[in-house]
Amino acid sequence: MTGGRINWREWFLVLPFILSIFIAQHEVRAKGKEIRVAVAADLKFAMEELSKKFEEQSRTKVNVTYGSSGNFFSQMQNGAPFDLFFSADIDYPQKLEVAGLAEPGTLCEYAVGRIVIWTAADAKMDVAKQGWKTLLDARVEKIAIANPEHAPYGRAAVAALQKAGIYETVRPKLVYGENISQAAQFVQSGNAQAGIIAMSLAVSPAMRDGKRWEIPAEMHPAIEQAAIVLKGAQNKEAGAGVSRIREERGRARHIGRIWLCVSREARTRRKKVTPRR
């Protein structure tokens, strides 16, 4: 990602890299093997394309379930049968690791999410020019966001609205999607006139023709996204695979704002510098 715009060729490098952890060993390459992946809803467009290509190349079935990171976290605490978790909030994988529910050393930060105000292409409001004022427009009766109780993008939306000083004003207009993908569907279908959604969804083929305004990153906590291998993973060598990759990489590397398997130490160093654009 550069300049707030997503380069999908970069995603096609990053996500297969993480998925490849699971086929590092001979037994996982065997025909008929399957990996079960819980994926934050903001990755739906990218993961659908990637999992298909990955299956063709690896002969490994990728069984993907989409939803909110918070709901997945609760399910995993209760033993949900997933191998890999792509979370929209790094806190959830970190908590799973601390609780002993994930393979030690497999936490991998892969991206920093961004949010936008999105309206349909035929909307009378010009969100690119109006910015926050779009949400105050009388023609906007409903504003879709993800449920902040368990969706990281919903929490970011609320924080940004509060920072902009308009949260209490627009609060009666808010409608909540179970996850960020459902929130996007609300506004895409016309059930809401505007929405605060993930940039990754706003630039997907289904929504890229709409109007959008990127919310400044400093107006909400960073949406640090991470993947982790779960203790119940069918591939018990996944953790070793990540460690080996990290040793070969030597240090944190990034493509714009997409990071490849960043260690705790590297994340600490990263936060002290400004990422290259």
Side-chain angles (χ1 to χ4, degrees):
M1 276 183 284
T2 55
R5 297 165 64 184
I6 293 176
N7 184 333
W8 288 108
R9 287 178 297 179
E10 294 170 357
W11 277 102
F12 274 79
L13 291 173
V14 175
L15 295 186
F17 172 81
I18 298 172
L19 283 172
S20 68
I21 292 166
F22 281 90
I23 60 169
Q25 306 301 315
H26 289 296
E27 59 268 28
V28 182
R29 292 180 182 272
K31 187 175 181 180
K33 289 291 184 179
E34 177 183 85
I35 58 175
R36 302 156 300 181
V37 190
V39 180
D42 69 302
L43 287 180
K44 191 173 189 296
F45 162 64
M47 189 62 74
E48 285 176 347
E49 294 292 326
L50 289 167
S51 59
K52 181 179 178 180
K53 290 182 179 294
F54 189 81
E55 287 176 349
E56 293 172 353
Q57 295 171 2
S58 68
R59 294 181 299 157
T60 300
K61 173 68 176 177
V62 182
N63 188 347
V64 182
T65 303
Y66 300 100
S68 72
S69 300
N71 280 344
F72 280 136
F73 174 70
S74 296
Q75 292 170 24
M76 290 167 190
Q77 287 181 305
N78 291 302
F82 292 110
D83 298 307
L84 182 61
F85 178 30
F86 282 85
S87 174
D89 188 335
I90 195 172
D91 286 349
Y92 293 126
Q94 287 176 331
K95 289 176 180 177
L96 290 170
E97 186 175 39
V98 170
L101 298 175
E103 295 291 341
T106 64
L107 184 68
C108 174
E109 186 180 347
Y110 61 86
V112 177
R114 302 302 300 270
I115 54 176
V116 302
I117 298 176
W118 190 92
T119 66
D122 59 359
K124 301 299 182 183
M125 301 78 66
D126 188 345
V127 66
K129 292 182 179 179
Q130 294 177 269
W132 290 115
K133 292 180 180 179
T134 302
L135 304 183
L136 301 174
D137 193 299
R139 290 169 291 189
V140 175
E141 298 179 358
K142 295 184 184 299
I143 303 166
I145 68 171
N147 190 329
E149 292 187 5
H150 51 245
Y153 279 97
R155 290 194 291 274
V158 170
L161 289 167
Q162 291 172 333
K163 187 77 170 179
I166 62 172
Y167 177 65
E168 292 302 330
T169 302
V170 303
R171 189 173 183 177
K173 297 183 178 184
L174 297 179
V175 293
Y176 303 98
E178 185 68 12
N179 52 61
I180 193 60
S181 181
Q182 188 178 70
Q185 290 171 7
F186 285 166
V187 64
Q188 187 181 13
S189 66
N191 289 319
Q193 292 73 45
I196 298 179
I197 66 171
M199 170 72 85
S200 57
L201 294 177
V203 300
S204 68
M207 302 190 74
R208 63 189 175 198
D209 291 335
K211 301 175 183 178
R212 66 178 185 267
W213 176 71
E214 184 175 349
I215 295 172
E218 62 270 18
M219 298 196 75
H220 59 84
I223 309 171
E224 296 178 305
Q225 304 181 322
I228 199 163
V229 179
L230 299 171
K231 268 287 176 66
Q234 292 175 5
N235 179 6
K236 295 298 183 181
E237 301 300 323
V242 177
S243 298
R244 184 171 62 254
I245 290 169
R246 282 182 178 149
E247 289 171 2
E248 292 172 358
R249 298 286 173 172
R251 61 182 181 181
R253 301 179 62 188
H254 66 82
I255 307 172
R257 286 193 288 270
I258 297 177
W259 295 74
L260 304 183
C261 288
V262 184
S263 66
R264 285 190 181 87
E265 295 77 14
R267 287 197 301 274
T268 300
R269 291 196 302 271
R270 186 204 69 181
K271 291 177 181 179
K272 296 179 180 179
V273 300
T274 301
R276 294 194 301 269
R277 294 182 180 274

